[in-house]
Amino acid sequence: MLNRAALSRSGVSPFVHFEQDAPEPENVPVGYSFCSGLPCSNFTTSRGRRRLAQMILFVALLPVFVLVIQNTYNVALAGKNVAMATDMKQHILLGVEIGTLIHSLQLERGVSALYVSAEDKTVVYDTLMSQHENAEKAIENVDVTWDLPTTAANQTDFPTRQSFTDSILRFREEVVGINVNVTVERVVQFYSSLNERLIAWIVQDITDSKIGHMWETLVSYHMLIVSKEQAGVERALGSTFYAE
């Protein structure tokens, strides 16, 4: 080692500190580090290569996972839309079928009132029998669980379709009996009471339905049925006036 005097004579400061150069590292593996300091940072080893393969596989499968989640959501949404459409179809069909039944009973009411008030009943009899058949078909075409509500405390309950039909059959026997003692007012009151309860059924179905924008359409249909019923009463009473 050089002494300080020699360094001073050579013009080098005696306070300069010399260090030996660090040896060059030998056989140090070079890797691509995505997780520095962890065992997977060295991809020249088997473990590092497995980690790299797992990372590549994860990146490749990530879009697949996203698509699976997205399609699962779309399937669930489509199923909900199908269920809503099915429910909407049932409510619309019920309204149409009940509306057809109301129309048939309105026609039967008018013909029955005309039959009761007519002097020559044979002229109206065939038309009345034909209308009876049409009304019975309309009753059978109501392809839902029978749930006719009551609109007054003193009304007869019709828990089944058959009980509703039997009530009409008994009244028909009174109308076409040998000793006809049924008045026009009685005919109008009987059929109007049935139609009132059928209309209440439509209202109940609209209230129970949850079909969004179709609710307004069903309400409009209900109001049309009500208007048609009121016009039917006037038509039945008017026809008996001219028959007399």
Side-chain angles (χ1 to χ4, degrees):
M1 178 181 292
L2 298 176
N3 55 32
R4 296 183 183 276
L7 290 174
S8 298
R9 288 194 296 269
S10 63
V12 179
S13 174
F15 300 100
V16 175
H17 179 68
F18 291 93
E19 294 182 354
Q20 294 181 348
D21 295 334
E24 292 292 337
E26 297 180 359
N27 300 326
V28 177
V30 179
Y32 298 93
S33 176
F34 289 95
C35 43
S36 299
L38 298 178
C40 65
S41 60
N42 188 356
F43 296 140
T44 60
T45 63
S46 298
R47 185 173 184 180
R49 287 192 293 270
R50 285 196 301 269
R51 294 287 185 177
L52 178 61
Q54 292 173 358
M55 292 180 183
I56 295 175
L57 185 62
F58 173 77
V59 173
L61 292 180
L62 182 60
V64 178
F65 293 148
V66 173
L67 289 176
V68 169
I69 295 174
Q70 182 181 10
N71 290 335
T72 302
Y73 172 78
N74 291 337
V75 169
L77 183 61
K80 182 179 179 181
N81 291 335
V82 169
M84 183 179 297
T86 302
D87 183 63
M88 182 186 303
K89 178 182 178 181
Q90 292 176 349
H91 288 291
I92 293 175
L93 286 178
L94 176 61
V96 172
E97 291 169 356
I98 296 178
T100 302
L101 175 56
I102 292 174
H103 177 70
S104 298
L105 293 179
Q106 288 171 344
L107 294 178
E108 182 173 335
R109 175 181 57 195
V111 178
S112 298
L114 183 61
Y115 178 84
V116 169
S117 61
E119 294 183 0
D120 187 4
K121 301 184 185 303
T122 58
V123 178
V124 190
Y125 182 81
D126 291 339
T127 304
L128 181 60
M129 294 299 103
S130 176
Q131 191 53 49
H132 287 176
E133 294 179 1
N134 294 336
E136 291 171 2
K137 291 179 181 178
I139 295 174
E140 293 298 327
N141 288 336
V142 180
D143 190 20
V144 293
T145 302
W146 193 261
D147 188 20
L148 188 64
T150 56
T151 57
N154 59 346
Q155 285 183 335
T156 304
D157 187 23
F158 300 123
T160 63
R161 188 194 313 268
Q162 188 60 45
S163 62
F164 181 80
T165 304
D166 292 341
S167 175
I168 296 178
L169 292 176
R170 287 192 298 269
F171 185 76
R172 288 173 179 174
E173 292 177 357
E174 297 180 20
V175 172
V176 298
I178 298 177
N179 298 321
V180 179
N181 55 3
V182 179
T183 63
V184 173
E185 290 75 13
R186 169 66 176 142
V187 171
V188 173
Q189 187 275 332
F190 175 79
Y191 287 101
S192 298
S193 176
L194 296 181
N195 287 340
E196 178 184 355
R197 296 175 66 175
L198 290 171
I199 293 174
W201 191 358
I202 295 178
V203 174
Q204 176 180 291
D205 184 68
I206 294 174
T207 304
D208 295 339
S209 65
K210 299 177 181 178
I211 51 179
H213 62 281
M214 286 299 299
W215 183 84
E216 297 179 357
T217 304
L218 292 177
V219 171
S220 301
Y221 179 72
H222 161 249
M223 298 306 298
L224 176 63
I225 294 295
V226 172
S227 301
K228 189 170 176 292
E229 169 63 12
Q230 294 174 351
V233 172
E234 296 177 358
R235 182 176 60 249
L237 295 176
S239 63
T240 60
F241 173 80
Y242 290 103
E244 295 174 354

